[in-house]
């Protein structure tokens, strides 16, 4: 800052004014930066960078429309500078017009996007506006341009998993946890991978991707729940019980999933009465939960109460007529288990 001020005093130069203004901004002094920029204008010292810095000051002040105008003039004066374009688009999105920001970025891809910065900003804007498909398209492009970016791979993998593209998500995310990093790193990646593995009926891979991380992060409720689910899938009841214990020590927003895991754990431990009681209380208040009704039916059937098992599967089928679990189990239980009325008629519950 001192050197720039000295240079300005000796011979006013746009680059010296720019250095002084940026120094004030880095020191958290936007008002002083604005005074430098006003002085440059008074001396008729102009440059694209000074115009860009005027945009920065206006944006910090909350004057988004003037900031956009400054960024646009800077971009038009020096089209080879990607930061000017990114600032303009980001400010347009912040001003409430993400569609215009995305159009601007798309129109300048061929000019600026050698390093993926334009695609990445477009992906983030689409992500913030909730357009998952568009965000995935932009993140894919950014990932192709910056293949070693962990943050891009993480977000793209998460979006793919949320949209049901689990195979592609696993291909993208698995190499991240195979790198020599501590188990506590990349928690979101490990949780996302576990979800994908469980969706693909691969509890062993889910268990292996989470076990060490969850052990070191007992407060990560989502990881504990996923670990419990995957541990049940590989019949590691000790780990499942420990994870459920961690969940019991804190409030969880996944009440239903925790209840289902606890019921399955009790069932596998032979505590059929406790498991059935837990599920029956839940189904009584949530009769439309077909999966819970089916699980209750399985536990009742395992305990030898075929008629009540049929009632549970019928309830599941009533709330979800296409439920294949309920259909197949009702067919397996057979007509002998179907409740009848006093005159032998089929139960009206169906």
């Amino acid at each position: 800052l001192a050197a720039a001020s000295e240079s300005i005093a000796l011979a006013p130069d746009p680059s010296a004014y720019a250095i002084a203004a940026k120094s004030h901004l880095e020191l958290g002094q936007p008002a002083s930066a604005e005074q430098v920029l006003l002085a440059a204008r008074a001396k008729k010292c102009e440059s694209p960078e000074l115009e860009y810095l005027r945009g920065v000051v206006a944006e910090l002040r909350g004057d988004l429309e003037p900031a956009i105008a400054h960024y646009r003039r800077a971009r038009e004066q020096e089209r080879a500078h990607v930061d000017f374009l990114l600032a303009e688009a980001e400010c347009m999105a912040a001003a409430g017009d993400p569609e215009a920001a995305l159009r601007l970025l798309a129109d300048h891809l061929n000019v600026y996007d050698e390093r993926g910065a334009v695609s990445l900003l477009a992906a983030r804007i689409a992500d913030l506006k909730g357009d998952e498909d568009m965000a995935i398209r932009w993140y894919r492009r950014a990932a192709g341009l910056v293949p070693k970016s962990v943050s891009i791979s993480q977000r793209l993998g998460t979006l793919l998993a949320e949209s049901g593209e689990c195979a592609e998500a696993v291909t993208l995310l698995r190499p991240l946890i195979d790198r020599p990093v501590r188990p506590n790193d990349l928690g979101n990646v490990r949780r996302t991978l576990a979800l994908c593995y469980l969706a693909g009926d691969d509890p062993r891979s889910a268990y292996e991707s989470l076990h060490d991380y969850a052990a070191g992060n007992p407060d990560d409720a989502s990881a504990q729940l996923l670990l419990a689910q995957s541990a049940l899938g590989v019949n590691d009841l000790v780990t499942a019980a420990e994870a459920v214990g961690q969940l019991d020590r804190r409030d969880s927003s996944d009440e239903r999933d925790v209840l289902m895991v606890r019921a399955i754990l009790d069932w596998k431990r032979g505590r059929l009465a406790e498991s059935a009681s837990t599920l029956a209380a839940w189904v009584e208040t949530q009769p439309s939960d077909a999966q819970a009704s089916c699980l209750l039916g399985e536990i009742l059937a395992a305990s030898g109460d075929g008629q009540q098992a049929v009632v549970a599967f019928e309830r599941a089928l009533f709330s979800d007529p296409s439920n294949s679990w309920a259909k197949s189990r009702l067919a397996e239980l057979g007509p002998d288990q179907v409740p009848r009325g006093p005159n032998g008629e089929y139960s009206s519950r169906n």
Side-chain angles (χ1 to χ4, degrees), residues 187-225:
N188 181 59
V189 171
R190 293 176 184 277
R191 290 190 299 271
T192 302
L193 275 171
L195 279 169
C196 288
Y197 285 132
L198 289 172
D201 197 23
D202 185 0
R204 172 59 61 186
S205 294
Y207 179 89
E208 291 172 352
S209 67
L210 264 181
H211 185 274
D212 292 345
Y213 168 79
N217 292 270
D219 293 332
D220 189 335
S222 296
Q224 297 301 329
L225 176 58

Side-chain angles (χ1 to χ4, degrees), residues 65-283:
E65 291 304 326
I68 292 169
H70 286 302
Y71 291 144
R72 182 176 296 121
R73 282 193 290 270
R75 173 176 59 82
E76 290 171 348
Q77 291 169 19
E78 187 178 332
R79 295 185 177 275
H81 207 311
V82 69
D83 287 345
F84 301 163
L85 171 74
L86 298 177
E88 182 183 354
E90 195 167 6
C91 202
M92 291 170 77
D97 197 355
E99 290 80 9
L102 288 167
R103 286 195 300 271
L104 176 68
L105 294 170
D107 289 343
H108 292 83
L109 274 180
N110 295 331
V111 179
Y112 293 105
D113 210 26
E114 290 182 4
R115 298 183 181 179
V118 175
S119 294
L120 180 56
L121 179 58
R124 287 173 174 164
I125 292 173
D127 205 352
L128 286 171
K129 73 189 284 281
D131 191 332
E132 190 173 87
D133 291 339
M134 181 183 289
I136 286 173
R137 289 196 300 273
W138 281 111
Y139 274 121
R140 277 187 176 133
R141 178 182 168 86
L145 293 166
V146 195
K148 294 183 179 180
S149 171
V150 173
S151 62
I152 293 174
S153 296
Q154 277 187 265
R155 187 56 190 154
L156 176 56
T158 300
L159 286 171
L160 288 168
E162 291 173 354
S163 66
E165 301 290 338
C166 281
E168 186 178 352
V170 168
T171 300
L172 193 67
L173 295 176
R174 183 73 209 192
L176 300 182
I177 68 167
D178 287 338
R179 294 173 183 173
V181 295
R182 299 186 307 275
N184 287 355
D185 291 338
L186 304 175
N188 181 59
V189 171
R190 293 176 184 277
R191 290 190 299 271
T192 302
L193 275 171
L195 279 169
C196 288
Y197 285 132
L198 289 172
D201 197 23
D202 185 0
R204 172 59 61 186
S205 294
Y207 179 89
E208 291 172 352
S209 67
L210 264 181
H211 185 274
D212 292 345
Y213 168 79
N217 292 270
D219 293 332
D220 189 335
S222 296
Q224 297 301 329
L225 176 58
L226 289 165
L227 178 62
Q229 291 169 332
S230 58
L232 288 171
V234 298
N235 283 316
D236 182 351
L237 302 188
V238 173
T239 297
E242 290 173 351
V244 169
Q246 293 291 352
L247 290 167
D248 287 339
R249 294 186 185 96
R250 57 189 52 82
D251 293 332
S252 173
S253 59
D254 302 308
E255 177 190 0
R256 185 258 189 191
D257 291 334
V258 173
L259 179 141
M260 293 280 279
V261 164
R262 188 179 291 109
I264 295 171
L265 179 60
D266 284 339
W267 177 19
K268 285 180 173 281
R269 285 173 152 182
R271 301 172 181 173
L272 299 182
E274 293 93 328
S275 182
S277 175
T278 299
L279 283 169
W282 174 262
V283 169

